Amino acid sequence: MEALILGQGSKKVSTGAKPAAQNQEHIMAERKRREKLSQRFIALSAVVPGLKKTDKASVLGDAVEYLKRLQEKVKYLEDRVSKRNVEAAVLVKRSQLCADDDDGSPGQGGQSLPEIEARVCEKAVLIKIHCENRKGVLVKALSEIEKLHLRVMNTSVVPFSGSSLDITVVTQMEEGFSMTAKDLVKKLNSAFRQFMR
């Protein structure tokens, strides 16, 4: 009988040890989870500006308010961008400075006028010029652009089909610039017309 009782007692001890090990694992897992949460709260409190209290409820509350302010700011900026007034003008008709001869070939000195595009958005102006590849054409284009109270910020020139150039100029309006995109295209076209003669 004693053996039977001892056997049962030892069984109880062994079954009691199993839940204790599981309990220990659960306690360790819970401790790690809490440490992770604490680290995340610390990281969140470092990102949210102007925190007055650092308890978890205050950090979460301030983070929610901060996100709401950011969402409002994003909406405001998106609305502002969508309402931006972009004015554009394009001169794409390619004409000849001189009339064609009867045989259909261009007359002496017959040169194509450039294709000019201008886009105006607030203080920025984008100008694209497709023109004949001639010596000094880029210098002339930039000179004319600066005469119109535009400050050149960036220029890109790409040779196109051997005989022409694609010029892209990003400019910023200076004091004294008061033209529409259409007027700008007309002025540049007039300057190119004189230069190409």
Side-chain angles (χ1 to χ4, degrees):
M1 198 72 146
E2 271 184 39
L4 190 60
I5 291 171
L6 285 174
Q8 287 176 349
S10 66
K11 273 187 182 176
K12 282 182 182 175
V13 170
S14 66
T15 54
K18 201 170 190 181
Q22 285 178 339
N23 243 1
Q24 193 65 21
E25 287 175 17
H26 176 70
I27 290 169
M28 291 302 289
E30 183 62 21
R31 189 175 289 158
K32 284 182 181 178
R33 187 185 72 77
R34 285 182 185 163
E35 283 177 17
K36 257 188 189 176
L37 272 173
S38 292
Q39 289 171 354
R40 300 282 161 84
F41 271 102
I42 290 168
L44 183 61
S45 65
V47 172
V48 178
L51 279 179
K52 291 171 182 71
K53 296 181 182 176
T54 56
D55 63 282
K56 291 178 181 177
S58 297
V59 170
L60 281 178
D62 288 352
V64 168
E65 290 303 314
Y66 181 61
L67 285 175
K68 285 180 181 177
R69 286 194 309 267
L70 287 178
Q71 285 175 329
E72 288 171 8
K73 193 171 188 176
V74 166
K75 188 177 183 318
Y76 167 76
L77 291 172
E78 285 174 345
D79 289 347
R80 191 169 164 207
V81 166
S82 68
K83 290 175 184 174
R84 255 188 185 172
N85 187 16
V86 177
E87 180 191 1
V90 184
L91 174 74
V92 292
K93 183 181 176 190
R94 292 182 65 98
S95 56
Q96 298 280 324
L97 284 176
C98 300
D100 289 350
D101 289 341
D102 292 336
D103 63 358
S105 62
Q108 275 194 319
Q111 304 297 329
S112 297
L113 290 175
E115 295 175 4
I116 301 172
E117 177 184 352
R119 291 181 186 272
V120 178
C121 181
E122 293 181 359
K123 295 251 179 214
V125 182
L126 174 70
I127 301 167
K128 291 183 179 182
I129 304 168
H130 181 81
C131 62
E132 207 171 303
N133 189 356
R134 276 195 177 185
K135 187 175 182 177
V137 73
L138 176 62
V139 173
K140 178 65 176 171
L142 294 177
S143 171
E144 289 301 322
I145 289 168
E146 287 177 340
K147 283 180 189 175
L148 300 173
H149 301 286
L150 291 169
R151 184 173 32 144
V152 175
M153 305 299 287
N154 191 358
T155 306
S156 169
V157 181
V158 179
F160 185 77
S161 75
S163 62
S164 60
L165 290 177
D166 275 331
I167 303 170
T168 304
V169 184
V170 178
T171 64
Q172 194 168 19
M173 295 178 195
E174 290 182 335
E175 210 171 304
F177 181 85
S178 60
M179 280 187 220
T180 64
K182 193 173 184 179
D183 292 338
L184 178 59
V185 167
K186 282 181 183 176
K187 285 266 190 194
L188 290 173
N189 182 44
S190 173
F192 267 88
R193 189 185 294 259
Q194 290 174 7
F195 175 70
M196 294 295 190
R197 285 185 181 155

